[in-house]
């Protein structure tokens, strides 16, 4: 099979409903895909495939498999920690990488930081089941060290695929690592937070990581300010 048809088949399996020749369509960090039916630079080619987000996420998970693409698979990880929650969520949280509890349970944000994240979600009137939670890196780095650049490069495409399937209205990047990875910047979270960014058709709000809040509870006030913005953004647009 040619590379092109294999590529198209993969996107079909993910449930991607639009394919365009317009390079802006999939530009990382661009605010919006072109309007449906728009024909930039000539005839836009669109194919429509009916497939649920749950099925598309399952296809990504199956593609990851028992991953051996980077060195983390031989550095003590128990399992791949893919993501959890509503496949059609309006709100998505992105963290860094699984910790010890997540590695054992196979679910992101279930340890102490995760329990705080659950409270943060509930503070804006939602339940964990309403949102989707994933990490940039799907396997636990040994000793919870920071992920290496080659690990990020290998693993981040799966996060981008998850975002493109779920199509959340709002993404909350938890901590420096997630915010830097998504926004392609070296700025620390302290400089990034407080603003709303356009990202892959969503609004992105960077905020402090719950593990940082466990160490610096005085910053919870800042996170609350960020979450109030999230709530307004979620309510603001009902289409
Ligand atoms: N910290 C993260 O960034 N992700 C998790 O899943 C758990 C802790």
């Amino acid at each position: 099979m040619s590379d092109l048809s294999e590529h198209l088949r993969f996107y079909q399996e993910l449930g991607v409903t639009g394919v365009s020749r317009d390079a802006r369509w999939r530009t990382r960090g661009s605010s919006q895909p072109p309007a449906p039916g728009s024909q930039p630079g000539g005839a836009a080619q669109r194919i429509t495939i009916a497939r649920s987000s749950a099925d598309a996420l399952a296809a990504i998970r199956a593609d990851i498999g028992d991953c051996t693409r980077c060195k983390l698979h031989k550095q003590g990880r128990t399992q791949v920690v893919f993501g959890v929650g509503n496949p059609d969520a309006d709100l998505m949280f992105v963290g860094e990488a699984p910790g010890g509890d997540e590695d054992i349970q196979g679910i992101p944000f279930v340890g102490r930081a995760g329990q705080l994240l659950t409270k943060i979600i509930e503070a804006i009137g939602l339940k964990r089941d309403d949102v989707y939670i994933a990490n940039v890196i799907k396997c636990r780095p040994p000793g919870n060290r920071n992920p290496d650049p080659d690990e990020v490069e290998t693993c981040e495409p799966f996060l981008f695929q998850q975002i493109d399937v779920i199509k959340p209205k709002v993404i909350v990047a938890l901590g420096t690592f997630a915010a830097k990875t998504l926004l392609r910047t070296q700025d620390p979270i302290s400089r990034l937070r407080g603003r709303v960014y356009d990202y892959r058709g969503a609004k992105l709000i960077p905020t402090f990581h719950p593990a940082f809040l466990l160490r610096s509870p005085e910053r919870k006030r800042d996170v609350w300010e960020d979450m109030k913005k999230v709530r307004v953004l979620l309510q603001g647009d009902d289409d």
Side-chain angles (χ1 to χ4, degrees):
M1 194 184 295
S2 74
D3 281 355
L4 177 63
S5 55
E6 210 161 3
H7 184 77
L8 284 173
R9 199 168 58 87
F10 178 66
Y11 275 96
Q12 266 182 17
E13 281 175 6
L14 293 184
V16 173
T17 53
V19 175
S20 168
R21 282 184 176 156
D22 183 356
R24 285 172 303 168
W25 175 256
R26 302 197 61 76
T27 301
R28 180 173 293 153
S30 72
S31 53
Q32 291 290 341
S38 69
Q39 303 201 331
Q45 296 180 336
R46 294 181 60 82
I47 51 176
T48 301
I49 306 113
R51 182 143 191 198
S52 74
S53 308
D55 286 349
L57 289 176
I60 300 169
R61 178 66 190 88
D63 182 34
I64 294 176
D66 194 18
C67 190
T68 56
R69 291 170 180 83
C70 86
K71 59 187 180 300
L72 288 176
H73 81 279
K74 49 185 180 191
Q75 293 190 349
R77 72 117 202 260
T78 306
Q79 57 188 312
V80 171
V81 179
F82 179 63
V84 69
N86 179 356
D88 297 304
D90 286 340
L91 176 58
M92 179 165 177
F93 289 86
V94 176
E96 177 174 330
D101 295 305
E102 292 76 19
D103 177 64
I104 291 166
Q105 295 190 41
I107 303 169
F109 283 100
V110 288
R112 277 187 71 219
Q115 285 158 25
L116 180 52
L117 176 61
T118 302
K119 286 189 189 149
I120 291 170
I121 293 166
E122 289 170 352
I124 55 164
L126 296 172
K127 299 188 297 294
R128 250 180 96 105
D129 287 351
D130 295 325
V131 307
Y132 195 88
I133 306 172
N135 286 306
V136 176
I137 300 283
K138 310 296 189 218
C139 294
R140 183 194 186 194
N144 295 343
R145 66 158 168 74
N146 285 340
D148 288 339
D150 62 301
E151 294 158 2
V152 178
E153 198 181 325
T154 306
C155 212
E156 65 180 7
F158 298 113
L159 173 66
F160 301 147
Q161 289 170 12
Q162 287 172 297
I163 293 171
D164 289 349
V165 162
I166 296 163
K167 298 187 186 69
K169 286 181 185 161
V170 182
I171 297 171
V172 176
L174 296 167
T176 291
F177 186 83
K180 280 178 164 181
T181 303
L182 294 176
L183 293 173
R184 290 288 191 263
T185 171
Q186 289 307 312
D187 289 347
I189 189 71
S190 51
R191 186 159 323 149
L192 294 172
R193 68 160 292 281
R195 282 179 51 198
V196 180
Y197 300 79
D198 287 323
Y199 182 80
R200 283 182 112 87
K203 297 293 177 191
L204 187 146
I205 298 205
T207 196
F208 293 120
H209 194 288
F212 172 74
L213 294 182
L214 291 172
R215 299 190 299 272
S216 306
E218 72 280 3
R219 307 317 292 264
K220 284 183 185 169
R221 184 185 298 268
D222 294 326
V223 174
W224 176 235
E225 290 306 316
D226 296 335
M227 293 308 293
K228 282 195 286 188
K229 278 191 200 128
V230 169
R231 194 171 53 185
V232 169
L233 286 169
L234 288 173
Q235 286 166 351
D237 181 326
D238 264 349
D239 56 18

